[in-house]
């Protein structure tokens, strides 16, 4: 059975795009974003990706993509019974996605208006229903700070889950796609470093 962790790893792969010749990643990723700070009752968004590419005219393509992950039919039905959970985040997102481990989790007619649908297909995620671009409300300051905190935590934990992508900046020498050090980078590419040590 697919776990939430596996889906989050697939989302991280989906939202990683290092521009050729640079170490500039198009995306900022944040897992388990809380709706507010402190110990008060709060909601959690499973995954938010921020698109840093500004577009033309400048700023028109910047976007927040919010994701709710479901790995079972019962999990999805619980979500449908509690629409307030998504509403803690969706009004502030440009796109809102339901991400499922199997497309059969969502029956016809169940996907709420304005939601997109992404489903696992082998070792990738594929869009089944495109999420429309919405006009979000200004994000509250506490949610901005919570999102920044989650993005920092996610970045620190990423090397535990996967190696940074290779980047080639000004030479044929591979570089770490997260910090620019020569590859394999001990901080961000530990698996590749371990393989090179045994080669």
């Amino acid at each position: 059975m697919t776990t939430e962790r596996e889906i989050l790893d697939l989302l991280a792969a989906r939202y990683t795009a290092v521009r050729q010749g640079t170490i500039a990643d198009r995306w900022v990723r944040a897992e388990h974003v809380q709706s507010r700070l402190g110990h008060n009752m709060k909601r959690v968004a499973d995954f938010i990706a921020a698109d840093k590419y500004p577009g033309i005219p400048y700023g028109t393509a910047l976007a927040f993509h919010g994701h709710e992950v479901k790995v079972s039919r019962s999990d999805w039905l619980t979500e449908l019974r509690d629409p307030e959970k998504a509403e803690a985040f969706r009004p502030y997102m440009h796109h809102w996605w339901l991400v499922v481990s199997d497309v059969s989790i969502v029956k016809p007619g169940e996907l709420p208006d304005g939601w997109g649908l992404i489903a696992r297909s082998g070792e990738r995620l594929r869009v089944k229903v495109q999420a429309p671009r919405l006009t979000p409300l200004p994000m509250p300051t506490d949610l901005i700070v919570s999102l920044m905190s989650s993005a920092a935590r996610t970045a620190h934990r990423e090397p535990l889950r996967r190696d940074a992508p290779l980047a080639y900046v000004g030479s044929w020498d591979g570089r770490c796609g997260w910090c620019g050090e020569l590859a394999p980078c001990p901080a961000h590419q530990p698996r590749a470093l371990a393989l090179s040590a045994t080669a």
Side-chain angles (χ1 to χ4, degrees), residues 18-177:
V18 176
R19 192 169 70 236
Q20 189 173 2
T22 74
I23 60 165
D25 194 338
R26 175 175 177 170
W27 301 95
V28 178
R29 297 165 293 280
E31 295 179 2
H32 300 135
V33 180
Q34 297 180 347
S35 60
R36 59 174 62 175
L37 303 169
H39 301 290
N40 299 330
M41 185 70 173
K42 56 201 135 204
R43 307 291 187 165
V44 176
D46 294 321
F47 191 94
I48 294 177
D51 191 344
K52 299 189 306 183
Y53 279 21
I56 301 172
Y58 183 87
T60 56
L62 297 172
F64 289 109
H65 292 252
H67 302 77
E68 188 64 36
V69 174
K70 299 298 172 195
V71 295
S72 70
R73 173 77 179 153
S74 61
D75 197 15
W76 171 234
L77 292 177
T78 300
E79 177 78 17
L80 285 177
R81 287 192 294 269
D82 185 15
E84 293 301 312
K85 183 173 185 286
E87 289 307 303
F89 299 94
R90 196 186 59 79
Y92 311 111
M93 299 291 118
H94 295 85
H95 303 274
W96 188 254
W97 300 91
L98 173 63
V99 187
V100 294
S101 56
D102 190 290
V103 72
S104 66
I105 287 172
V106 183
K107 302 302 181 191
E110 287 183 345
L111 192 67
D113 289 342
W115 290 43
L117 178 63
I118 298 173
R120 183 173 189 171
S121 177
E123 292 308 307
R124 298 185 61 188
L125 296 173
R126 297 194 184 278
V127 172
K128 299 299 183 179
V129 177
Q130 180 63 45
R133 186 174 176 97
L134 307 170
T135 302
L137 297 174
M139 195 178 293
T141 302
D142 60 346
L143 181 52
I144 293 171
V145 175
S146 179
L147 178 57
M148 291 173 65
S149 175
S150 295
R153 269 196 323 271
T154 301
H156 284 296
R157 292 175 180 165
E158 277 201 77
L160 301 173
R161 308 293 315 162
R162 64 182 182 138
D163 278 5
L166 273 178
Y168 295 90
V169 184
S171 75
W172 292 107
D173 296 324
R175 300 272 174 174
C176 171

